[in-house]
């Protein structure tokens, strides 16, 4: 079976190589569509020599690969991938979703008051331009592309069920990136003496940082608050840091990009993690921190919260934030329940098994 993967230049892509290249009897080819030349690549290491880099206008140069492919695996529906599908609508497509590429179709409200106000800033002219040229037209193109896709692999199965209400032709096929799998294998635990709290995963307004910080300020929380802000919307970052200046809180922002090992060394000191996203987001951070024994608070609007709650994990609702909740550790039993669940579903072995099952299913379908 021959698979052609249309990948992104991001930190998750290495998991695609490491899992699919280990499956027997599968010939994998990788294509990365760039808007600039290859020198712009940031995350895909030079050691992956088999990646084909090209601009969309040069796609005809690999039509021989497309003709030979059993399936085309589309890793996220970004602008280039949507355009590509609409150029070649008759190929066999499997869409591996990443969250950002389908949540505009699942939720109308990702922001609380502070982030929503920030998103509404700007001139009327720029808003109109954004709605007409970026939002409305792209949604139409994405809708057209989805109609040509047969199978969908979101992060959570519950996300598939929501999207399939609109796109009834889509079939579910399980796979995800397992971005935290290698870290889980290191069997790390949080420092029992740690007094830090992790809030959010980026400088994206969907983190809804402000409302949590305001709550912690009112609760007179005295621990250290780790605030990862190394990527996302830097204008939002500047405004947020300016607006929380008067909060009586010990905040340590992270501005620089770190490799995973360095980042999780910081997380070892965090016995509490708070993610106020109203959608499934920062799942890798959550998986690792749960396995490490941290107490995790999620927004109850997030499907990730529902996923853990329905599976009996020890998970907590941000609405229940209190000093008692923040300072009381998980019980030994709660930590063990969380760790077993995460390792069963998101360890390296679990992700590889899922990759093999994914390929086996596609192979069987191609034989019909």
């Amino acid at each position: 079976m021959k698979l052609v993967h249309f990948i992104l230049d991001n930190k998750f892509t290495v998991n695609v190589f490491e899992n699919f290249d280990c499956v027997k009897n599968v010939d994998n080819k990788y294509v990365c569509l760039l808007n600039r030349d290859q020198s712009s690549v940031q995350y895909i290491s030079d050691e992956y020599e088999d990646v084909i880099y090209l601009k969309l206008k040069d796609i005809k140069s690999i039509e021989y690969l497309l003709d030979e492919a059993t399936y085309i695996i589309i890793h996220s529906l970004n602008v280039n991938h949507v355009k590509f599908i609409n150029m070649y609508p008759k190929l066999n497509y499997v869409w591996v979703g990443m969250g950002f590429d389908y949540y505009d179709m699942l939720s109308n409200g990702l922001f609380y008051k502070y982030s929503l106000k920030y998103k509404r800033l700007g001139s009327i002219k720029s808003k109109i331009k954004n709605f007409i040229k970026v939002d409305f037209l792209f949604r139409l193109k994405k809708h057209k592309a989805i109609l040509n896709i047969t199978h969908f692999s979101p992060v959570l199965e519950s996300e598939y069920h929501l999207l399939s209400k609109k796109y009834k032709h889509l079939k579910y096929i399980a796979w995800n990136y397992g971005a935290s799998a290698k870290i889980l294998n290191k069997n790390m635990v949080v420092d029992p003496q740690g007094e830090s709290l992790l809030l959010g995963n980026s400088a994206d307004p969907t983190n809804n940082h402000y409302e949590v910080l305001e709550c912690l300020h009112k609760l007179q929380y005295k621990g250290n608050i780790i605030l990862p802000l190394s990527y996302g919307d830097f204008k939002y970052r500047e405004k947020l840091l300016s607006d929380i200046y008067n909060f009586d809180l010990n905040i340590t922002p992270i501005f620089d990009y770190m490799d995973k090992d360095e980042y999780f060394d910081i997380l070892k000191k965090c016995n509490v993690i708070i993610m106020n996203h109203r959608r499934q987001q920062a799942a890798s951070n959550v998986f690792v921190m749960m396995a490490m024994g941290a107490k995790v608070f999620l927004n109850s609007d997030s499907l990730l919260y529902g996923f853990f709650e329905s599976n009996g994990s020890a998970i907590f609702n941000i609405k229940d934030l209190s000093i008692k909740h923040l300072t009381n550790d998980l019980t030994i039993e709660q930590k063990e329940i969380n760790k077993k669940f995460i390792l069963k579903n998101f360890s390296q072995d679990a992700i590889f098994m899922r990759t093999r099952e994914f390929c086996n299913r596609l192979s069987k379908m191609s034989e019909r």
Side-chain angles (χ1 to χ4, degrees):
M1 181 173 67
K2 296 185 178 182
L3 302 180
V4 175
H5 299 259
F6 277 72
I7 57 175
L8 297 181
D9 173 35
N10 70 19
K11 59 186 178 181
F12 299 115
T13 297
V14 63
N15 300 80
V16 181
F17 305 139
E18 292 178 350
N19 283 286
F20 281 93
D21 284 346
C22 291
V23 181
K24 294 180 179 179
N25 301 318
V26 177
D27 179 13
N28 294 288
K29 303 296 182 185
Y30 303 100
V31 179
C32 186
L33 296 178
L34 302 173
N35 294 322
R36 292 179 287 178
D37 58 38
Q38 190 174 335
S39 64
S40 66
V41 173
Q42 290 182 290
Y43 297 99
I44 302 176
S45 171
D46 292 338
E47 66 185 276
Y48 300 108
E49 298 176 353
D50 294 335
V51 178
I52 299 171
Y53 300 96
L54 74 163
K55 296 179 181 178
L56 186 61
K57 66 182 180 64
D58 300 318
I59 199 72
K60 288 185 178 294
S61 65
I62 61 161
E63 282 187 345
Y64 69 96
L65 276 183
L66 306 180
D67 292 338
E68 295 173 355
T70 314
Y71 284 93
I72 309 292
I73 314 299
I74 301 292
H75 293 268
S76 92
L77 280 185
N78 68 356
V79 173
N80 280 333
H81 292 170
V82 165
K83 288 179 180 178
F84 165 70
I85 293 171
N86 289 331
M87 288 169 64
Y88 296 90
K90 295 184 179 181
L91 299 175
N92 295 320
Y93 291 107
V94 178
W95 169 22
V96 175
M98 299 184 73
F100 73 85
D101 52 333
Y102 53 82
Y103 256 89
D104 60 320
M105 296 177 281
L106 298 185
S107 174
N108 291 321
L110 297 179
F111 309 102
Y112 281 113
K113 187 175 180 180
Y114 179 86
S115 294
L116 186 61
K117 183 179 179 181
Y118 169 79
K119 293 295 289 183
R120 285 175 174 167
L121 291 175
S123 67
I124 295 177
K125 181 178 179 180
S126 66
K127 289 179 185 177
I128 294 174
K129 181 180 179 182
N130 180 67
F131 176 76
I132 294 176
K133 294 193 67 176
V134 178
D135 190 39
F136 182 69
L137 292 180
F138 180 64
R139 281 175 183 245
L140 287 178
K141 292 174 182 177
K142 186 159 70 170
H143 170 75
K144 182 181 177 182
I146 294 173
L147 294 177
N148 293 310
I149 296 170
T150 59
H151 289 75
F152 178 40
S153 298
V155 178
L156 302 175
E157 186 174 354
S158 55
E159 295 169 326
Y160 161 76
H161 293 299
L162 282 177
L163 195 64
S164 66
K165 291 178 181 179
K166 180 176 182 179
Y167 296 102
K168 300 183 185 302
H169 71 287
L170 286 177
K171 297 177 182 178
Y172 177 70
I173 182 167
W175 194 80
N176 57 57
Y177 290 88
S180 53
K182 281 187 176 181
I183 299 292
L184 291 175
N185 274 12
K186 296 185 178 182
N187 202 27
M188 297 186 299
V189 295
V190 293
D191 182 351
Q193 304 302 317
E195 295 183 352
S196 292
L197 175 157
L198 177 74
L199 173 58
N201 75 316
S202 70
D204 192 293
T206 55
N207 283 266
N208 294 306
H209 300 96
Y210 188 87
E211 285 76 12
V212 175
L213 292 168
E214 186 177 43
C215 177
L216 294 174
H217 169 70
K218 290 177 180 178
L219 291 172
Q220 298 182 345
Y221 178 72
K222 298 304 180 185
N224 184 37
I225 301 169
I226 305 295
L227 207 61
L229 300 170
S230 58
Y231 67 95
D233 185 333
F234 293 152
K235 289 184 178 179
Y236 166 78
R237 180 175 79 179
E238 291 173 11
K239 179 166 177 56
L240 177 70
L241 292 175
S242 173
D243 289 347
I244 63 174
Y245 179 78
N246 292 323
F247 285 169
D248 185 20
L249 295 169
N250 299 314
I251 298 174
T252 303
I254 298 176
F255 297 125
D256 298 324
Y257 177 78
M258 301 177 181
D259 62 35
K260 288 181 181 179
D261 289 338
E262 186 181 4
Y263 182 57
F264 283 108
D265 279 342
I266 291 176
L267 297 196
K268 286 180 187 177
K269 302 172 184 176
C270 301
N271 48 23
V272 174
I273 170 175
I274 301 176
M275 296 291 176
N276 200 23
H277 312 92
R278 302 181 79 172
R279 66 170 193 165
Q280 170 276 119
Q281 196 169 330
S284 179
N285 281 329
V286 173
F287 297 159
V288 172
M289 294 301 287
M290 285 183 73
M292 288 169 62
K295 179 179 275 191
V296 177
F297 289 84
L298 297 179
N299 192 307
S300 57
D301 290 341
S302 167
L303 291 177
L304 197 58
Y305 177 88
F307 170 72
F308 287 124
E309 187 180 45
S310 64
N311 283 283
S313 301
I315 199 78
F316 297 86
N317 191 336
I318 286 178
K319 293 178 182 177
D320 298 327
L321 275 176
S322 67
I323 288 298
K324 181 179 178 180
H325 260 313
L326 290 168
T327 54
N328 286 356
D329 201 4
L330 293 178
T331 66
I332 294 175
E333 182 183 11
Q334 286 174 322
K335 290 180 181 180
E336 193 61 27
I337 288 172
N338 284 352
K339 184 174 181 179
K340 283 184 176 179
F341 178 73
I342 295 298
L343 291 179
K344 178 183 177 181
N345 291 280
F346 304 104
S347 66
Q348 275 189 296
D349 288 343
I351 297 301
F352 178 67
M353 286 280 289
R354 199 167 294 140
T355 306
R356 190 166 62 185
E357 290 168 4
F358 177 97
C359 292
N360 286 342
R361 184 174 170 188
L362 292 183
S363 181
K364 289 178 181 178
M365 289 191 302
S366 68
E367 294 170 358
R368 292 175 186 172

